[in-house]
Structure formats: C-alpha cells, structure tokens
Amino acid sequence: MVEQKKDVLIFGYGRFGRTIANSIREYGTSVRVAVIDREEFKKAKSDKFEAILFDLESDETILSLNITESLYLVCAMDNNHENLFLTLSLRDLFPKNYIIAISDSIHVSDKLKMAGANRVIDIYTISANIIKHTLTIPVATKFLQGFINKSHGYIFKEIKIGPNSPLNGKKLSEIDFERYNIIFIGMIDEELGNQFVFNTVGFDHKIDPNDIIVVVGKEEDIKRFELECGG
Amino acid sequence: MSSESKRDEPLIISFFLYLAHSPRYIEFKNRVRDLLKNPKNRYKQYIDYFLIFLIVSSVAIFMWEVEHPTLGSILDFYATYFTSFVFLIEYLINLWLYNDIHAEILEEYNRAKFLNTKPNYYRALKRAILKKLSYMITIPAIIDLLAILPAYREFRFLKVFVLFRFLKLLKHSKSIYRFLEVIGNRKFELLTLFVLLIFVVFIGGLAIYILEEKQNENIHNLFDALYWSFITITTVGYGDIAPVTSAGRMVSFVIVIMGITMISFSTSVIVSAFSEKLTELKEERVAEQLINNKEFLIVCGYGQISKIFLREYLKDEYEIPYIVLDKDCRRVQEAINDGHNAICDDASRYEVLNRFYTPEAKITLLALTGSDIENIYISLNAKSVSKDIDIIARASSHKLINRYKRAGADRVVLPYEIASSMLVASIVYPTMYKAINAILNFKDVATIDEIYVSAKSLIINKTIEEVDFKKYNITIFGVQHGVDGEFIFNPPKSYRFKEGDIAVVMGHRLSLEYFKKKYNIIGRYRW
C-alpha cells in the first residue's frame, strides 16, 4: 500500500511510543526506536525493534542516531517536558526534517508547535471528537472510523495526474467518477499554492498535469480509475 | 394429622393462592406502590401537590370558619368530608401496601404442607395483623389517622386536630422532610444538650427557690422557680419574675451564661449538620433535574478526553443535558470550576448509577476514566442497573475490546490506537490525513453530517438526481436504512429516499444548514 518507502524514527517507547511503533510497522514502513530509558530499551528490543539508547541532554548522542533528511521524526516520549525539549533539540539540529509530535492536551499541543513540530497529534482530542460524533452523527462516524481502522474496504487516495492522463484539460464537472464507483472529494492544485481544497466550496477547476485529486472508494475501483486516468 | 389434598383447601386459601399468582394483582400493587412511594416516579409529585393543596386549603377553610360560621355550605363539605375522605383512602392504601396478609397465610399453609402438620391460620392472621398494627403506630401513620378526624362532628370541638393536617405536610413536602432528617442526624448531640439544659434549669430553679422563696413575692412554688429558670436560660426573660436578692442575681448570671453557651452550641450543631448535608442536597437536586429529561449523558471520569469532549460538546446545537461523575473530588471541583454539573461519587457503585436511572429517559454513559479496570467495572455496573443504558467506553488497547464488549460496552474508543492510525496516515497518506483531520476537527469547510429522512422531510420518495445536492456542493458518501441497515456506499443517482434512511453527506457547514432548512430535514438518528 505504501508507494514510497518512508523511514521513521520514533523517540520514546512508553504508553504512546509503543502503540505507534507497532502500528507504523504494520504499514510496512521501516521503524527505528530511540529511547533514554533502559526499561523501554529492553521492551523495544523484545518487540524486535531496532532500538538505540540516547541522552536527551547530549547533542552528540542525538547526532549519532544517523538521521538523514528524509527521515520522519516522531516525538512520542511519555513525559511532556522531555518531549518538548526533544522537539526543540531536533528542530534545532535538523531544520529540514519532518517532525511529528504527540501531545496529550491542547496546551501541550500549542507549545509543541511553537517548539517547531511540523505536525502535532493530540491523542485525546481526536478521541473526544469521535465520541462527540458518535453521539450526534453515528452512521457517519462509523463510516469515517472505517478509514482509520481499515474496517471497511474504502480508502482515501491521492491520485497524481500524469502528463498523459485523458483527464488533462477537462473540467471536474465533466469527469464521470460515478462510473468507477468512486467519490471525488477534493484536490491539491499547484496553481492554488499546493493547498488542499475540498469540493464543498464549489469550484470547477480545469485539470492540469501534476494536480493531485483526492478520491474515496474501494481500493480496486480506485486502481482501475488510476490505471485509466492517472496517465 | 392427615396431609391435605388440593380439593380440601378452604376457599379462602384458593383465593389467596390466586392472588399470590395473579400477575395482574401483583402488577397493580406494585404500580400503586411505585406511584406513592418511589420519588423517581414522574407522577408522584402531582399526587403530593394534590394532597398539599387539600391540606392547605382545608386548614385555611377551618381557620376562616372560626369567625365566619359556614356550616353546611359547600366549603364546609369540601374541608370536612371531601378532604377527609381522600386522606382516609390514602391511609387505607398505605396500610394495604405495608404488607401482604395473604402472603402470611400462604406461608403458614406451605409450612404446614411441608411439615405435614395442621396449619394454624389463626396464628398467621394474627402475625399479619400485628404487622399492620406496627405500621399503624408509626408516627406518620398516627398523624395520617388524626388528620382524618375532623370529619367526625363529635370531634370537631377539638380544633387542635387541624394541626395534624399541617403535620401531614411533612410527608409530602420534601424540603420540610429533609430539614427534619438533618436534625435527626444530630439526635445524639441535640439530646445531650437538651439533657444538660434540663439539668441546668433544675439547678437554677432549685437555687432560686431556696434563696428567694421567702423574699420574692412572685415566686410562690417550685414551678414558678423552674419557669423563671427556663425563661432566663433561653434568654427570653419576660420579666414577670425577677430575682430580688444579690444571691438570686448571682444565680441568674450563671444561668444566662450557660443559656447563651448552650444556644450557640445547639445552633452550631444544627448549622454544621446542614453544611455537611448541603453538597449532598445540592447533588440530589442536580440528579433530580437531570432525570426529568428525556435524554441525558453520564460522563464518568474527568480527564483529558472528558474535558475536550465536553468543551466541543457544548458548542453543539444538539446539546443534551449531562452530568460528570468522578471518584476524585479534586477533579470534580475542577469540573465545577469549568462550569459543568459534577458530582464526586464512584460510578462503579450500583446505588450511584441507579440514582440516575429512570426507564423513561434515554441514557448514554461515557466510561472515560484513565483506567481500563475502572471503565470495565463501570460498564458492567451500568448494564446491571439497566440493559437500556447505552455505553461508550474508552480502552487503552484493542486487545481489551472483547472484554469491554462482554462487560456491556456498546462502543469502544481507543485513543492511543486512533492517534497512532492518524499518525501513520499523516506519514503515509498526508492528504487523507488532512481531509479526515479537518472533518474530525469540525472545520466548516468539510462538515460531515447525516441527513435523516423523516416523514416530514421533503426529499422523501425523491431520487438523488431529483434533489439538487450538486447545487449546494453536497457530496453523498452513502445511505443506510434504519439502525441495522446495510451501508450503501456511493448510491446511484436513481436511488430513491425512503422514510428512515440516513444519508451520510459532506458539505460546507453553511450549505448543509441551508439545505436542511430548505428540505425540512429535522430530527436525527440516534445510535
């Protein structure tokens, strides 16, 4: 399912780190784990991860972790203070890497963003929102959750329009997505500054090469569409 | 000593057997009991209001009659006979509810049958009647009986009986009842103070009697002395009797000081009893208000998830009432400071959840404490209170899902795993992540909503093509019919909406609002 190989380095193997490391590995991504705690180190080893010990306060040990520019860095240490310090250090030492930080409250999220994390995942906010949605829009929530936990066969997929695609030059309203049993929900347009735009705002854009359209549907239907129209 | 065969049973036993096995009779008795005794019964308060009205109005008429004889008028008939008749019926019903005579008799019958002896019905009947009598001599029963008395002309000269009608108010007015309950909880302290008071009154009375019996012309006997002592110790001090000698005045110094001390003591005892009960009374009030709603939430545990959930939840237009329960009183205080209704109590205890249960309301319980053990226990507890309580529980690992389901949780939320999936998505499928994140975080531009097709909605019996979803840029993800229906992804344009359909759609919040108004989409489906 993963098109490009993406390597991930996870910091911390506690409450958060462990769950995250395991689910990322399920996707077939290569995962390494860096920890400061001997216990966590043992746990990671016994779960068959490539684990490395490092010292939060020594830049040398962090620099020796062999961090390349394409590596995704996930800060998932259980202690908020350590996690924040780690995020700051990593941003300082590796300005170009993509840093994802785990947070357990909205206040911590803001601080992590200020510290330089590219993306902050707030564990409890997502769940709280899902609970709220379950109460107000149960059918829709079940459908949405299906994407996340892969319980139904539908997926979100970005499709890059190649130079040979028959869709080039066509307007969105002219494309018959229904024929492929997929739903068009938005696109990323280079002309619009690489922003993701939902189809809810009502644009009728002309497709150019290198546009990315986002569709929802069964994996095989999307594949069929990609084959015929991806170019 | 022969064993009794079925046809030898006396007629009365057959009747009692019939009663004991008649579901109708049992159901009827239970209904009446529920109506009169169960504070959660919705109609009990109306009965109480009705009785309070009868009491107050009849007493008012009696008072009016003292100066304005209205004998024989309709008011007199109402105050004397009608109200008394209602009270009599209430009295008899209470007596009937107290125990089952037939149960006693049948027990004797069964016992005799089992032991193969002759049943002693007389003894059983005596036991049953004694039980009824034991009810009749309880204070509430006596008050009830005396409140009926004004109906008898012969007794009417005893106007004091009217007072008993007022005492009857105690039974039907919750606040007065609670006041007495609080005082009752301090029985020991108040009794001690009372004994001390009597003691000091006696000492003071005796002292003044010995010292001034000859000198003071107002003190004729010991009773006068005791009366003076009591009036002085209570700091009332009428002044009709006053000490005249220095020694007598010294006695009054001591008595007055003792009196003030004791009054302040008893005041503080009562006040502290109240302040102790105050939170409990407040909580009771909150609980009462909550269960009067048709639908409400019980949020167990006030941690991060609950906090964020409630904050988001309050923004919602569909908001239904809720209460927060937590074992940790500091967290409860925090919740109260955040503006929520919260009670410091343990949701894993049966009585605690049962207090909020009412069969008339749709109750959803959120088990969101940080511990799996607690959450599972709370879920089980809620299901043991009633199978109708819907439960959403938070679990720390998918390995526990089965255990949660077994404990009765209808939905299980896995914060760590949802977060991990989102994190994976943000790396592997950044665009999908952005889309779902926007949807989950209530971004206006991508609002996911459900369109519930009720009989009143204007899209009923129309096909998707006939409804101008396109015009409002609303995307239909799928349609499901009813609670357990199959979810049809991307329904064809020819799909015709039926009543009870739920369409999952995405659109701009504003377009969805407009669309719903235009097509009269009201109500929604509850999971």
Side-chain angles (χ1 to χ4, degrees):
Chain A
M1 265 169 71
V2 185
E3 309 93 278
Q4 308 143 260
K5 213 164 157 49
K6 292 178 178 174
D7 296 340
V8 181
L9 175 58
I10 297 176
F11 293 86
Y13 200 71
R15 260 184 314 157
F16 309 145
R18 191 174 188 184
T19 326
I20 292 163
N22 282 295
S23 41
I24 295 181
R25 185 160 64 179
E26 274 173 36
Y27 273 83
T29 308
S30 107
V31 184
R32 281 189 298 150
V33 179
V35 291
I36 55 169
D37 180 83
R38 287 231 160 254
E39 281 298 309
E40 290 187 3
F41 180 77
K42 272 189 219 153
K43 252 199 273 171
K45 276 278 181 206
S46 71
D47 289 346
K48 299 196 174 63
F49 278 103
E50 187 191 336
I52 319 141
L53 269 168
F54 77 103
D55 182 356
L56 198 55
E57 280 166 71
S58 133
D59 284 354
E60 287 77 48
T61 57
I62 297 178
L63 284 168
S64 69
L65 289 173
N66 192 14
I67 294 172
T68 54
E69 264 185 27
S70 64
L71 196 63
Y72 283 82
L73 305 174
V74 177
C75 305
M77 297 174 75
D78 281 350
N79 181 317
N80 279 332
H81 296 218
E82 289 172 352
N83 212 32
L84 187 74
F85 185 76
L86 174 73
T87 310
L88 263 173
S89 310
L90 290 176
R91 178 46 74 224
D92 200 32
L93 297 170
F94 310 101
K96 288 193 174 151
N97 280 66
Y98 197 81
I99 301 177
I100 304 172
I102 299 292
S103 135
D104 63 359
S105 85
I106 196 152
H107 310 291
V108 178
S109 299
D110 290 342
K111 290 189 191 103
L112 286 168
K113 268 187 201 141
M114 280 159 67
N118 298 71
R119 168 137 289 139
V120 177
I121 305 248
D122 187 336
I123 294 185
Y124 299 130
T125 301
I126 302 171
S127 297
N129 288 344
I130 285 178
I131 294 170
K132 184 199 163 173
H133 285 317
T134 302
L135 291 169
T136 51
I137 45 168
V139 180
T141 309
K142 206 172 162 200
F143 175 66
L144 278 181
Q145 265 196 289
F147 291 110
I148 303 171
N149 58 26
K150 295 160 274 169
S151 65
H152 60 49
Y154 303 105
I155 57 166
F156 268 77
K157 189 84 189 265
E158 309 155 27
I159 295 166
K160 197 164 184 173
I161 305 295
N164 304 322
S165 165
L167 302 183
N168 275 329
K170 274 196 180 173
K171 283 195 166 181
L172 280 169
S173 56
E174 295 164 6
I175 305 170
D176 183 14
F177 291 105
E178 208 183 321
R179 193 158 67 88
Y180 301 94
N181 196 26
I182 59 176
I183 298 172
F184 166 76
I185 68 155
M187 67 181 297
I188 298 169
D189 180 25
E190 282 194 319
E191 289 169 24
L192 296 171
N194 278 330
Q195 280 288 319
F196 181 78
V197 193
F198 277 100
N199 65 340
T200 56
V201 293
F203 55 88
D204 197 9
H205 179 77
K206 206 172 79 192
I207 304 260
D208 303 314
N210 287 335
D211 278 349
I212 297 172
I213 64 169
V214 181
V215 294
V216 174
K218 278 249 190 278
E219 208 175 341
E220 61 266 24
D221 292 329
I222 295 178
K223 273 217 176 99
R224 195 158 56 92
F225 174 79
E226 220 176 346
L227 226 69
E228 290 180 30
C229 306
Chain B
M1 291 283 170
S2 66
S3 71
E4 284 180 348
S5 67
K6 247 208 158 155
R7 58 179 184 282
D8 293 334
E9 284 160 11
L11 188 68
I12 189 78
I13 294 293
S14 322
F15 175 66
F16 284 155
L17 275 171
Y18 165 75
L19 271 190
H21 296 107
S22 156
R24 260 214 213 142
Y25 175 75
I26 296 166
E27 161 84 11
F28 177 65
K29 194 159 182 172
N30 282 339
R31 274 247 185 107
V32 175
R33 180 176 289 126
D34 195 64
L35 192 62
L36 289 180
K37 306 279 181 195
N38 182 3
K40 277 187 197 167
N41 189 306
R42 209 167 272 203
Y43 302 103
K44 182 184 185 292
Q45 54 171 327
Y46 297 117
I47 291 184
D48 283 337
Y49 289 153
F50 174 63
L51 289 172
I52 289 173
F53 173 77
L54 287 186
I55 293 165
V56 173
S57 59
S58 68
V59 171
I61 291 168
F62 283 139
M63 292 299 126
W64 166 265
E65 279 182 349
V66 174
E67 280 188 44
H68 310 79
T70 49
L71 218 65
S73 75
I74 187 135
L75 278 181
D76 182 56
F77 174 79
Y78 163 79
T80 317
Y81 298 110
F82 178 70
T83 53
S84 298
F85 180 65
V86 174
F87 294 157
L88 179 68
I89 290 178
E90 191 219 350
Y91 181 76
L92 291 177
I93 290 178
N94 275 322
L95 199 58
W96 171 59
L97 288 178
Y98 188 71
N99 67 336
D100 289 320
I101 292 183
H102 69 261
E104 294 281 349
I105 304 273
L106 285 180
E107 198 191 314
E108 178 65 28
Y109 167 74
N110 287 329
R111 199 182 69 94
K113 219 163 95 174
F114 181 72
L115 295 175
N116 214 355
T117 56
K118 209 171 157 50
N120 187 344
Y121 292 126
Y122 173 70
R123 200 176 57 197
L125 189 68
K126 205 172 99 183
R127 211 162 44 223
I129 289 176
L130 274 179
K131 267 192 192 166
K132 295 266 186 216
L133 275 176
S134 77
Y135 167 74
M136 287 171 76
I137 57 167
T138 58
I139 290 175
I142 291 174
I143 291 175
D144 276 358
L145 188 68
L146 292 176
I148 303 169
L149 288 183
Y152 294 97
R153 285 274 163 225
E154 300 87 274
F155 281 121
R156 287 206 63 183
F157 67 93
L158 286 172
K159 285 280 184 202
V160 266
F161 280 120
V162 170
L163 291 178
F164 286 102
R165 294 221 161 161
F166 260 121
L167 286 179
K168 226 174 123 59
L169 276 178
L170 295 182
K171 256 179 65 184
H172 302 288
S173 161
K174 251 184 244 159
S175 32
I176 302 178
Y177 183 77
R178 279 204 190 120
F179 180 80
L180 290 181
E181 208 179 42
V182 170
I183 302 277
N185 284 339
R186 286 288 189 270
K187 226 187 290 171
F188 174 74
E189 290 91 331
L190 292 174
L191 205 67
T192 315
L193 275 171
F194 183 72
V195 171
L196 191 64
L197 177 85
I198 298 295
F199 181 72
V200 176
V201 165
F202 261 92
I203 300 273
L206 286 176
I208 208 80
Y209 184 66
I210 294 162
L211 291 171
E212 295 203 348
E213 200 262 328
K214 298 274 157 22
Q215 287 92 328
N216 197 329
E217 55 184 23
N218 288 324
I219 298 177
H220 305 291
N221 49 33
L222 185 61
F223 179 77
D224 284 344
L226 290 175
Y227 165 77
W228 169 83
S229 174
F230 186 76
I231 295 302
T232 310
I233 204 167
T234 54
T235 74
V236 173
Y238 289 131
D240 51 349
I241 301 174
V244 289
T245 63
S246 302
R249 286 178 182 154
M250 290 299 280
V251 172
S252 50
F253 282 159
V254 178
I255 289 186
V256 167
I257 291 170
M258 291 294 280
I260 292 176
T261 323
M262 258 183 271
I263 286 178
S264 42
F265 253 130
S266 45
T267 313
S268 75
V269 166
I270 294 174
V271 168
S272 77
F274 265 101
S275 58
E276 245 171 55
K277 280 266 168 181
L278 200 65
T279 33
E280 207 175 294
L281 290 176
K282 259 194 212 160
E283 285 175 359
E284 227 161 87
R285 181 128 200 104
V286 169
E288 269 167 29
Q289 278 173 353
L290 191 71
I291 62 172
N292 275 330
N293 291 296
K294 269 199 208 126
E295 190 174 8
F296 59 88
L297 295 180
I298 303 175
V299 182
C300 303
Y302 193 66
Q304 280 301 331
I305 295 194
S306 304
K307 270 184 213 171
I308 302 164
F309 165 74
L310 287 172
R311 199 182 52 219
E312 290 301 333
Y313 186 69
L314 289 176
K315 288 182 195 160
D316 201 86
E317 55 186 304
Y318 298 128
E319 182 196 326
I320 52 173
Y322 62 90
I323 187 140
V324 178
L325 291 181
D326 200 309
K327 266 202 291 197
D328 185 345
C329 293
R330 273 172 312 175
R331 288 188 167 183
V332 168
Q333 197 50 49
E334 201 184 333
I336 291 171
N337 293 344
D338 291 347
H340 307 301
N341 275 333
I343 289 181
C344 180
D345 226 329
D346 185 355
S348 57
R349 279 176 46 222
Y350 184 86
E351 314 87 78
V352 174
L353 287 187
N354 194 41
R355 196 163 131 197
F356 294 99
Y357 177 67
T358 156
E360 280 125 64
K362 174 162 171 39
I363 306 168
T364 306
L365 179 132
L366 306 180
L368 302 180
T369 72
S371 142
D372 283 313
I373 298 169
E374 281 297 305
N375 288 340
I376 286 188
Y377 206 102
I378 291 171
S379 308
L380 250 172
N381 188 29
K383 283 287 170 188
S384 75
V385 170
S386 166
K387 293 254 178 288
D388 298 335
I389 298 178
D390 286 321
I391 300 168
I392 301 180
R394 164 231 165 122
S396 62
S397 158
H398 68 270
K399 288 175 196 150
L400 294 167
I401 286 184
N402 276 336
R403 264 165 263 183
Y404 272 94
K405 296 259 171 193
R406 208 175 275 271
D410 299 276
R411 280 278 178 109
V412 182
V413 176
L414 300 154
Y416 297 151
E417 295 181 15
I418 292 170
S420 310
S421 309
M422 289 296 273
L423 189 136
V424 172
S426 81
I427 296 173
V428 185
Y429 305 113
T431 313
M432 164 174 138
Y433 170 82
K434 270 185 207 160
I436 290 195
N437 198 41
I439 293 164
L440 284 178
N441 283 309
F442 316 101
K443 291 273 175 351
D444 280 354
V445 68
T447 305
I448 287 257
D449 207 346
E450 286 174 9
I451 288 182
Y452 179 69
V453 185
S454 70
K456 283 179 181 160
S457 79
L458 302 174
I459 63 169
I460 196 162
N461 293 329
K462 281 191 177 164
T463 62
I464 290 180
E465 202 161 22
E466 284 162 1
V467 182
D468 44 0
F469 288 107
K470 271 264 152 62
K471 190 175 152 196
Y472 298 102
N473 296 306
I474 292 172
T475 307
I476 303 181
F477 280 124
V479 181
Q480 176 174 322
H481 183 74
V483 188
D484 303 312
E486 198 197 342
F487 186 82
I488 306 165
F489 178 76
N490 201 9
K493 282 198 173 73
S494 57
Y495 183 86
R496 201 173 282 279
F497 289 111
K498 304 182 286 289
E499 187 179 346
D501 275 356
I502 305 133
V504 175
V505 296
M506 183 179 77
H508 195 283
R509 190 176 57 83
L510 297 174
S511 1
L512 281 169
E513 273 171 19
Y514 188 80
F515 179 86
K516 281 183 158 185
K517 211 174 265 172
K518 185 177 170 190
Y519 286 98
N520 200 26
I521 308 287
I522 39 173
R524 73 204 153 104
Y525 158 74
R526 269 298 162 78
W527 69 287

